[in-house]
Amino acid sequence: MPRTAYFLGFLALFGTIMWMAAGAFGVASQRQVQHVYLADALAPLPDTDMQVSWHAPNRPLSRPLSDAERLLIGRAFAQGFRNLALAQEAHDPLLLVDHFTGIAAKRAALSVTDAKTHGGRMVVLSHNLTPTFFHPDGSLFQAKTQMLTARFLPDTDGGLRHVELTRDTGTVTFRNGLIGWRIWSFERRGSTPVTRQPAPWTGRMNGINYYPAATPWRAFWPRFDANQTAADLDRITGLGADTIRIFLQREAFLGPDAATHLAHLETLLGLARERGLRVVPTLFDLKGDYGLATWPTDRTYLRAVLPVLTAFPNVELVDLKNEPDLDFATHGRAKVEAWISTMSQITGQIAPALPQTVGWSHVDAAPVMADQLDVLTYHDYADIAGTAARLTDLRTAFPDHPVLVTEIGASTFGLLLGQPGSPTSQARKLDLRMRALKDADGVFIWTLYDFPNVDPSVVGRSPWVRKLQSGFGLLRADGGEKPAAAVIRRHFGE
C-alpha cells in the first residue's frame, strides 16, 4: 500500500477515535451537569429561601406551636414541593420518599408518572400556612394553605401548549415520624388565576449598553465603583444618549452581599437620574439554569430588586431576560417560555406599572411571546442589507407594539489587513445600521467600552471569539474615542 494511503487511513482512524471521544465526553459532561444540578437541588433549603409565611391560628391549638416546630414544618413543606418539581423533571419518584407519606406519597408519585407521560410540570413558588390542628403528642399537624403555583404543559413539537400561574387554597396534613415531618395529605380546594394587566409605553430611546471597561458582566456589581460609573455616565450623555441598558445577575442580589449590591443599584439609578438618563434593567442576565427548583429563588430575587427599580421614575421598562431564545435548544423551548411567562406575571404583581420586554437575540424570536409583552425588543447583528426589512416586517406584524433594537454593534478587532474589523469599518457599519433603523422606537449600541478582559464563562473560551468581543466599544478601554463615537453622536443628535 502506498505511503499516502497509509497516512490517509491513519487520519481517518484518528478522526473516528476523536469523534467518538468527543461524543463520550459530551455525554459525560451532560451527566456531570445533571448530577451537580440534582445535588444542588436536593441540598437542604436555607431558612431564608423557604418561601413560607405563617399566619396565626383562628383558634387556640391543642398543643402550642413553637418557633422550632414552625421552622421544621415549614422546611418540610417547602422542601417537599421543591422535590416534587424536581422529581417531575427527573422522572424519579424516589426523590419523594423523604418528604411525602400516606395519601400524599401516592398522589405525588402519580403526578411524576403523569409528568413523564404527558410532560406537565408544576412548581410551588410560595407557601402561606395557617395552623388549624396540632395533636397534643406532636405527631400530627394540619394547616390551611395558600400557595402561588406555576404549571405548564409542552406540546408535541416542544413548544408551549399551556402555562398558568395560580393562587391555590387547600389543606395540608403532616405526620411526624422517625425521619421528621412529612406531608401525609394535601387537598386543593380552590384556585384563582394570576393575571397581569398591560403597562403601555411610548417614546423614543437612544441608548447604550453599559459596563465599565475593567468590570464587565459578573465583575460589575461586586466591584462597583460609583466614581467610575459617574464619569462613564457623563461620557454617555456626551455621546447624545438618553438611556442606558444595564444587566443584573440574580446571584449578586441574593446571599451575603445582597444589601450592598442593592445599595449600589440605588446609587447607579440615582446617578443616571441626575444626568437625565433613563434606565432599562435586564433582570435575569446570565441565568444558566431553568430547573423548576430554582423558580422560587427567582421570585425571591424579583421581590428584592423590583421595589428598588420602581422607586426611580427614570426606570421606564424592564427587560426580563437577555437572549433567552439561545437557551431553547439546551433547556427546552417550553420550559424557557413557561419561565418567562411566570416571571412576567410575578413582576406584574410586584411592579404593575412597569412595562416589560424580552431582549431576543434575533428578530425571528420577537413574536414568540408578543401577546404578553408591552414592548418588543430584539438584537440585530445579522446582515446589514436586511436590517430595514426585518424591522418593517416586525412592525407590520405587530403594529400596536413599540419596537426597540436593544443591541447593535461591530467589533474593531483586526487580525490582518483590517479583517474582520477595524475602527473605520466599525464606524461605517454602525452608520449603515443606524440609517436602516431610523424608524425604530429606539436603538441601543453594544457597547460603551472595549473590554480588555472578556469573561470566558460568558462568551466561551475561544480566543477568536474573546478577541472579537473585546472590541465592540465606542471608546477604547483607555477612554479614547473611536471614529464610531462621532457617528453615533451624530445619529443620536438627529
Side-chain angles (χ1 to χ4, degrees):
M1 182 181 292
R3 186 174 302 176
T4 302
Y6 278 115
F7 181 69
L8 292 175
F10 171 76
L11 285 180
L13 178 62
F14 180 76
T16 301
I17 293 172
M18 293 301 294
W19 177 78
M20 293 175 65
F25 178 77
V27 171
S29 298
Q30 185 176 8
R31 289 176 178 172
Q32 183 180 20
V33 169
Q34 184 179 20
H35 173 75
V36 171
Y37 167 65
L38 289 173
D40 290 344
L42 289 171
L45 280 170
D47 299 340
T48 56
D49 199 31
M50 290 197 306
Q51 304 285 337
V52 177
S53 299
W54 286 89
H55 301 278
N58 296 324
R59 62 177 185 271
L61 302 175
S62 300
R63 172 191 175 106
L65 185 65
S66 69
D67 290 340
E69 288 165 328
R70 189 180 292 110
L71 177 64
L72 293 174
I73 293 171
R75 181 179 288 126
F77 195 31
Q79 189 85 45
F81 275 94
R82 187 178 75 157
N83 274 43
L84 175 59
L86 184 61
Q88 290 180 348
E89 284 193 296
H91 303 151
D92 186 358
L94 291 178
L95 298 175
L96 305 172
V97 295
D98 288 341
H99 306 283
F100 293 87
T101 186
I103 300 170
K106 295 178 181 179
R107 291 180 176 175
L110 285 174
S111 76
V112 173
T113 301
D114 184 74
K116 182 178 181 180
T117 304
H118 303 290
R121 300 287 188 270
M122 181 190 85
V123 56
V124 178
L125 304 173
S126 67
H127 316 261
N128 290 277
L129 293 174
T130 303
T132 57
F133 175 77
F134 198 8
H135 196 279
D137 66 6
S139 63
L140 197 67
F141 176 82
Q142 191 173 73
K144 292 182 179 179
T145 70
Q146 292 183 346
M147 305 192 304
L148 184 64
T149 309
R151 298 177 179 85
F152 71 93
L153 180 66
D155 61 26
T156 55
D157 296 327
L160 185 62
R161 179 186 302 178
H162 176 73
V163 61
E164 65 179 8
L165 183 67
T166 59
R167 296 192 185 278
D168 301 336
T169 58
T171 300
V172 61
T173 304
F174 299 84
R175 297 198 70 140
N176 195 6
L178 293 176
I179 62 173
W181 289 100
R182 290 192 289 175
I183 301 171
W184 184 76
S185 73
F186 175 78
E187 181 181 357
R188 187 171 64 151
R189 296 184 175 178
S191 183
T192 304
V194 175
T195 58
R196 184 183 84 89
Q197 297 300 314
W201 177 87
T202 58
R204 167 79 194 188
M205 287 181 166
N206 296 324
I208 291 179
N209 291 273
Y210 172 62
Y211 279 123
T215 56
W217 292 293
R218 290 188 177 91
F220 180 49
W221 297 107
R223 296 167 57 188
F224 180 81
D225 184 328
N227 293 328
Q228 181 65 57
T229 298
D232 291 344
L233 297 185
D234 288 336
R235 298 297 301 270
I236 288 172
T237 58
L239 291 167
D242 56 31
T243 311
I244 58 171
R245 181 169 175 248
I246 62 171
F247 301 86
L248 282 63
Q249 295 85 39
R250 186 192 73 171
E251 290 71 18
F253 296 91
L254 298 174
D257 296 323
T260 299
H261 296 153
L262 286 170
H264 291 162
L265 177 59
E266 289 182 333
T267 298
L268 184 150
L269 296 175
L271 291 171
R273 181 180 55 187
E274 292 170 3
R275 289 157 176 79
L277 286 170
R278 293 172 289 179
V279 182
V280 177
T282 301
L283 298 180
F284 284 96
D285 189 44
L286 303 179
K287 178 177 174 63
D289 182 9
Y290 294 86
L292 297 182
T294 69
W295 292 22
T297 307
D298 292 340
R299 175 180 177 270
T300 299
Y301 160 72
L302 290 176
R303 287 165 60 87
V305 300
L306 285 172
V308 175
L309 299 178
T310 56
F312 288 83
N314 55 326
V315 178
E316 292 197 6
L317 67 149
V318 292
D319 185 343
L320 296 172
K321 176 71 176 71
N322 186 57
E323 301 186 339
D325 47 317
L326 299 182
D327 298 327
F328 285 171
T330 303
H331 300 279
R333 175 169 174 170
K335 184 190 290 187
V336 175
E337 287 188 34
W339 176 86
I340 293 172
S341 178
T342 300
M343 295 305 120
S344 172
Q345 300 287 5
I346 293 172
T347 299
Q349 296 299 303
I350 301 171
L354 203 54
Q356 299 180 15
T357 189
V358 168
W360 303 104
S361 73
H362 192 273
V363 69
D364 291 346
V368 169
M369 307 185 71
D371 59 333
Q372 299 182 48
L373 301 171
D374 305 300
V375 180
L376 300 185
T377 63
Y378 67 96
H379 304 163
D380 200 331
Y381 296 99
D383 180 40
I384 292 178
T387 302
R390 289 189 288 271
L391 174 63
T392 299
D393 290 346
L394 185 61
R395 278 199 171 283
T396 301
F398 299 96
D400 298 328
H401 282 72
V403 177
L404 301 174
V405 183
T406 47
E407 285 188 27
I408 68 168
S411 177
T412 55
F413 168 63
L415 187 62
L416 182 66
L417 299 177
Q419 297 296 325
S422 68
T424 301
S425 67
Q426 181 195 43
R428 178 179 56 83
K429 291 174 182 177
L430 286 177
D431 182 44
L432 292 172
R433 188 88 70 181
M434 290 293 291
R435 291 176 185 275
L437 294 173
K438 61 183 177 60
D439 293 329
D441 295 294
V443 180
F444 289 66
I445 310 301
W446 179 267
T447 176
L448 177 64
Y449 280 113
D450 284 349
F451 301 134
N453 297 305
V454 175
D455 187 347
S457 70
V458 176
V459 304
R461 297 191 177 278
S462 166
W464 171 262
V465 174
R466 292 177 67 188
K467 283 293 186 181
L468 281 174
Q469 287 292 330
S470 70
F472 275 81
L474 299 177
L475 311 179
R476 298 189 302 271
D478 62 9
E481 287 194 0
K482 301 180 187 178
V487 171
I488 295 305
R489 186 181 288 112
R490 173 168 53 84
H491 278 286
F492 283 172
E494 292 173 353

